[in-house]
Amino acid sequence: MSADFLKELEIQRGYLLRVARLQLRDAALAEDVVQDTLVAALAAQSGFTGRSSVKTWLTGILKHKIVDAIRRKQREPVAASTLDDEADIEDFDALFNERGSWRDKPTEWASPDDALSQRQFFEIMEMCMEKLPPNTARVFMMREVMELETEEICKELSITANNLWVILYRARMSLRECLQLNWFADGRRA
Amino acid sequence: MKTVDRILGHLVSCKDVTHLLSEREDRALTSFERIKLEWHLAVCKACMAVEKQFRVLHEAMRRYRQ
Ligand SMILES: [Zn+2]
């Protein structure tokens, strides 16, 4: 077993843990899932081909572990109902008037390329993801970080495609607002 | 701006447009939805700005997972 490989796993551990926590909202369960992922990664070390893909490769393993954990959690009665509740909330009405036009017209974000090259921007983005309602965050992470197909997410969480689209809409609109407030509206960073 | 452009641009509201901008990442829009979206973006600077913001968000998530 190469020392480099172990070091790489250690480097990626923090990221995996943050992703697992965002999806599971359960620190102990997230630890377990990441632990399982690292053990599986060590066992399947030969399946990893190059340094540049370690993160993607580990995320692929983590994805299965998280889906398993969610399946086990689904058996607890609360989960499904809260998901539908989160899809039902009709907000963002404050953003639009009764005709559906913007109350305050959004403007383009200044220097987005500059933002995307800063570690601090991604810290703010994680903070914004933490602020999402738990199930909304989970669905968003499954879609945008784990890159699951919409059909897979609907199947795993037993929700309709329509509810899924509404939940992802809420996640993206919330993140947009949060980044607007905490990064782009702040002239110092532009 | 021609009146006809304005009329075509408002077959959907800004709020509907934000839904289409999100949903096109998760499902194929119908051709009529795509046209309504295009017509609206052609006449609405605010939604055009949000369209760009959604692209930034999408790119940010791509980099986050890489
Ligand atoms: Zn508009």
Side-chain angles (χ1 to χ4, degrees), chain A residues 100-102 105, chain B residues 9-10 12-15 17 40-41 43-48:
Chain A
S101 299
W102 294 101
K105 293 193 189 312
Chain B
H10 291 89
V12 279
S13 66
C14 297
K15 191 179 181 182
V17 164
H40 185 94
L41 292 179
V43 297
C44 181
K45 269 176 98 173
C47 286
M48 196 61 206

Side-chain angles (χ1 to χ4, degrees), chain A residues 26-63:
Chain A
D26 179 332
L29 185 57
E31 287 276 355
D32 288 350
V33 163
V34 169
Q35 201 58 40
D36 284 356
T37 300
L38 295 177
V39 169
L42 284 171
Q45 206 185 135
S46 55
F48 134 77
T49 46
R51 196 185 171 85
S52 61
S53 66
V54 183
K55 188 172 175 181
T56 312
W57 182 64
L58 287 171
T59 306
I61 301 174
L62 180 70
K63 173 166 81 181

Side-chain angles (χ1 to χ4, degrees), chain A residues 117-132:
Chain A
S117 64
Q118 294 183 52
R119 197 172 51 88
Q120 235 192 327
F121 173 79
F122 289 93
E123 284 167 10
I124 298 284
M125 201 173 74
E126 274 185 341
M127 183 272 285
C128 291
M129 290 194 277
E130 275 163 30
K131 282 203 211 162
L132 296 173

